[in-house]
Amino acid sequence: MSLMKPVYTVIIPVYNERESLPECHRRVSAVMEAVGEPYELLFINDGSKDGSLEILRGICAADKNSLCVSFSRNFGHMNAITAGMDFARGDAVLVIDADLQDPPELFPEMIARWKEGFEVVYGKRVERKGESAFKKASAALYYRFLKSMTNVDMPLDTGEFRLIDRKVCDAIKRIKEKNKYMRGLVSWVGFRQTGVEYVRAERFAGETKYPLSKMIKLAADGITAFSYKPLKLAATLGVVISLCSFVYLIVVLIQRLAWHSTAVGWASTVAIMLFFQGVVLIVLGVIGEYIGRIFEEIKDRPAYLVSEAINMDGSKPEDGNV
C-alpha cells in the first residue's frame, strides 16, 4: 500500500463481477490519475464465487494504488460499503459499483463541488439505459414510495453513487446499526448536500444484482430503518375496520328488531372472515418486519468478516469488524 495518505478513496463493492473488473479498474484509475492528487481504489469483495477475487489479486499486484478487502462470505451490498468506509483513509470518499452503470467520469465534477464546500455530492439519475419499462417504472415507484413513507428527506432517483466528506464518513461510522441503509443514513446525518445529474448506462457485463425481490427487501429495509408509519397505518386500519364492523352490527340489529329479518348466506360471512384474517396477517407481517430488525440488532454480530486483505499493510477498521 502506498505510504502517502490519499486525498481520495474510491470504494468499489464487488459481487460476481469478474467480467467487469479489468475495465472498471482501467476507467476509474484513468479518471483518478487525471485528477492529479493521491488516491486509493478500495475493492470490497463481497463473497464472490465467480473468480472475482483472483482478478482482484492480479489488479492489486500490478497497481500499488489498488487495495482489496475480501469477506468470508456474501454479507450484502450495504455491508460492503460499510467495510469500505471503515477502511477508507481519504479526505473524500467516493462510492461506485463495479458494473460501470454509474460513470466514474463524473468524479471530477463531484470533486469540484466538494471543493466548493459541499460535504455530500450524490449522483442523480435522469435516464436509465438498457432497462425494461417495468424496471424503470418499479424503480421510480420505489423511490417515491420510500420518500413518502420515511421521515428523512432522501433525494429521488439516487443510489449509492456519491462522494462524501471525511467528516460525513466518520459520522456514519459512529452509527452502530448492523443493517445500515446507506442512502438513508447519508441524508439523515445532514451536512451540505448537492446532486449532479447523469445518464445511467447499461451494465458493462453480467446480470443485475438487484432483481425485483432484492428491490422489495431494500425498500422494506429503508422503511423500517427510518419510519414508524407502517405501524401507524396498521393501527389506523384496525380502527377503521372496527368502526365499520360496529356500524354493520348496528345495521343488522335494526334489521332484526324492526323488520325481523337479517341478511342470510354463508358466502358473505366467509368472505368477511377471510378479509379480516388477511388484514390481521398483513398487520402481523408489518410488526414482524420491525421485530426481525430488532432481533438482528440485539444479536450484536459484526456487520461483516474479513478473510483476506490485500495491500492493506495490516490496517484494520476502527470498529473492529475484522
Side-chain angles (χ1 to χ4, degrees):
M1 182 173 65
S2 174
L3 295 178
M4 184 179 296
K5 182 182 182 298
V7 177
Y8 308 105
T9 295
V10 182
I11 299 172
I12 309 175
V14 176
Y15 179 63
N16 292 343
E17 296 287 358
R18 175 187 175 90
E19 297 175 341
S20 301
L21 281 172
E23 180 65 9
C24 174
H25 173 257
R26 184 192 69 79
R27 282 178 60 181
V28 176
S29 295
V31 169
M32 298 310 297
E33 286 289 342
V35 170
E37 296 178 89
Y39 70 92
E40 63 183 5
L41 308 185
L42 179 52
F43 294 91
I44 309 296
N45 177 43
D46 186 21
S48 298
K49 298 179 180 178
D50 68 339
S52 293
L53 181 56
E54 286 69 26
I55 301 294
L56 290 172
R57 287 179 181 138
I59 289 174
C60 292
D63 179 13
K64 62 180 177 60
N65 293 315
S66 292
L67 304 78
C68 176
V69 171
S70 185
F71 289 171
S72 60
R73 63 169 177 84
N74 178 247
F75 283 91
H77 188 234
M78 295 298 167
N79 286 330
I81 297 174
T82 297
M85 294 173 67
D86 288 340
F87 282 97
R89 300 183 300 151
D91 297 324
V93 177
L94 302 109
V95 182
I96 186 171
D97 289 337
D99 58 18
L100 295 176
Q101 286 189 278
D102 301 322
E105 290 77 15
L106 202 64
F107 283 166
E109 184 176 351
M110 289 182 168
I111 290 170
R113 302 308 300 273
W114 174 62
K115 289 184 176 181
E116 290 173 6
F118 290 99
E119 291 141 326
V120 176
V121 185
Y122 52 83
K124 182 176 177 63
R125 304 159 184 165
V126 295
E127 185 180 345
R128 305 166 70 105
K129 292 186 176 180
E131 296 181 352
S132 66
F134 174 77
K135 174 69 173 179
K136 292 177 182 179
S138 61
L141 179 63
Y142 159 69
Y143 287 116
R144 282 147 187 82
F145 178 70
L146 182 63
K147 185 178 180 67
S148 68
M149 291 297 293
T150 58
N151 301 318
V152 176
D153 185 19
M154 285 180 271
L156 296 173
D157 302 313
T158 62
E160 267 53 66
F161 180 47
R162 67 186 67 226
L163 177 152
I164 63 173
D165 186 84
R166 166 51 54 184
K167 68 179 71 172
V168 179
C169 181
D170 290 341
I172 293 175
K173 285 165 63 176
R174 289 197 296 271
I175 298 172
K176 296 305 179 182
E177 294 177 23
K178 299 301 178 185
N179 296 304
K180 290 181 178 178
Y181 185 72
M182 281 298 176
R183 68 190 69 173
L185 288 177
V186 172
S187 297
W188 180 84
V189 296
F191 298 97
R192 292 190 64 198
Q193 304 198 12
T194 189
V196 292
E197 295 183 344
Y198 73 102
V199 175
R200 197 170 201 228
E202 298 181 42
R203 286 182 60 87
F204 179 78
E207 299 179 350
T208 179
K209 305 305 184 295
Y210 268 99
L212 180 60
S213 59
K214 284 195 174 182
M215 286 294 292
I216 293 173
K217 182 181 183 302
L218 187 66
D221 286 343
I223 292 169
T224 55
F226 289 95
S227 177
Y228 298 112
K229 286 185 179 179
L231 292 175
K232 293 179 180 179
L233 288 175
T236 302
L237 184 61
V239 171
V240 170
I241 292 175
S242 296
L243 289 175
C244 291
S245 301
F246 180 74
V247 171
Y248 181 67
L249 176 62
I250 297 298
V251 171
V252 171
L253 289 174
I254 292 173
Q255 287 179 332
R256 179 63 179 173
L257 296 173
W259 295 285
H260 304 287
S261 65
T262 57
V264 297
W266 64 270
S268 58
T269 303
V270 171
I272 292 172
M273 288 177 60
L274 291 176
F275 172 74
F276 282 110
Q277 289 174 359
V279 170
V280 169
L281 289 175
I282 291 172
V283 172
L284 288 176
V286 171
I287 296 172
E289 285 290 332
Y290 284 91
I291 293 175
R293 191 171 185 87
I294 294 170
F295 177 65
E296 288 295 325
E297 293 294 328
I298 64 175
K299 286 190 293 188
D300 200 29
R301 295 174 183 171
Y304 58 87
L305 295 172
V306 175
S307 65
E308 182 177 352
I310 306 171
N311 285 356
M312 301 298 294
D313 292 347
S315 299
K316 292 188 177 184
E318 294 178 4
D319 63 357
N321 278 319
V322 177

